[in-house]
Amino acid sequence: MSYALVRSRASRGLEAPAVRVEVHLSSGLPAFNIVGMLETAVRESRDRVRSALINSHFEFPDGRLTVNLAPADLPKGGGRFDLAIALGILCASDQLPAECVQQVECLGELGLDGGLCDVNGCIAAAIAATRAGNRIALPVGAALRCHIVPQIRSLGAPDLLSLCALLRGHDLAPTESTPAETRESDSLTVVTDLADIQGQPLAKRALELAAAGGHNLLML
């Protein structure tokens, strides 16, 4: 097929509004355009996606690629749409069956080698995807972190090639999570001592002063 639709999520405060990543591959001089009220980081995804596809042993299609991030009036920033754009290109060029991405929301930044990098706002996106009844595909670290979301169905992978294998149904030990009430207690680390926290010296100092003086504290 020459048209593909992949679902993703933007970040707006504590919300994660839905974004439709539409990819159209047509004949003509080679071009790669992304539209939809984009910040610079999103425009730069063209180079990241191209290199990630090639280094993951996929073919980057010849022709005119148009990617639309809808709705057009929603600001979009960061590299969170890289994964959805790459999967849309694979589906539009018939390298990945379109049914593999149905009812799956995708979030993740791509490295030039095809590796999946973490992005901000994954938990909010996971909550929204779960409420919508969809699975969510994430970098493996983010997928493990999102296990705290009840009833989540997540797919975590270290790179684009592994994620495509999971979407095709190959067993590569995906990080499918279980409901919170039946989850093992060691899946979430509880910190009880500030000495266990690595880094964050200013935040720890603020906590110590608030505790010592009995002051109120607002955490953002």
Side-chain angles (χ1 to χ4, degrees), residues 143-210:
L144 293 173
R145 193 168 66 249
C146 289
H147 276 185
I148 62 173
V149 179
Q151 307 298 329
I152 186 176
R153 294 182 299 149
S154 64
L155 284 173
D159 52 61
L160 177 61
L161 189 60
S162 299
L163 180 60
C164 289
L166 291 177
L167 292 173
R168 287 177 177 270
H170 298 293
D171 185 11
L172 295 179
T175 57
E176 289 278 5
S177 63
T178 55
E181 58 271 16
T182 62
R183 195 169 300 129
E184 293 295 332
S185 60
D186 60 358
S187 63
L188 180 64
T189 301
V190 178
V191 176
T192 58
D193 194 318
L194 288 182
D196 296 332
I197 300 177
Q198 301 298 316
Q200 304 292 337
L202 292 179
K204 289 192 288 187
R205 178 65 173 162
L207 288 172
E208 292 167 354
L209 291 174

Side-chain angles (χ1 to χ4, degrees), residues 32 34 42-52 111-112:
F32 189 179
I34 306 177
V42 184
R43 298 185 187 278
E44 293 172 345
S45 67
R46 293 177 296 185
D47 299 316
R48 293 193 298 270
V49 169
R50 183 192 301 270
S51 296
L112 299 185

Side-chain angles (χ1 to χ4, degrees), residues 91-108:
C91 291
S93 58
D94 294 323
Q95 298 181 73
L96 183 70
E99 56 268 20
C100 290
V101 296
Q102 291 181 352
Q103 292 189 315
V104 178
E105 299 186 10
C106 307
L107 211 67

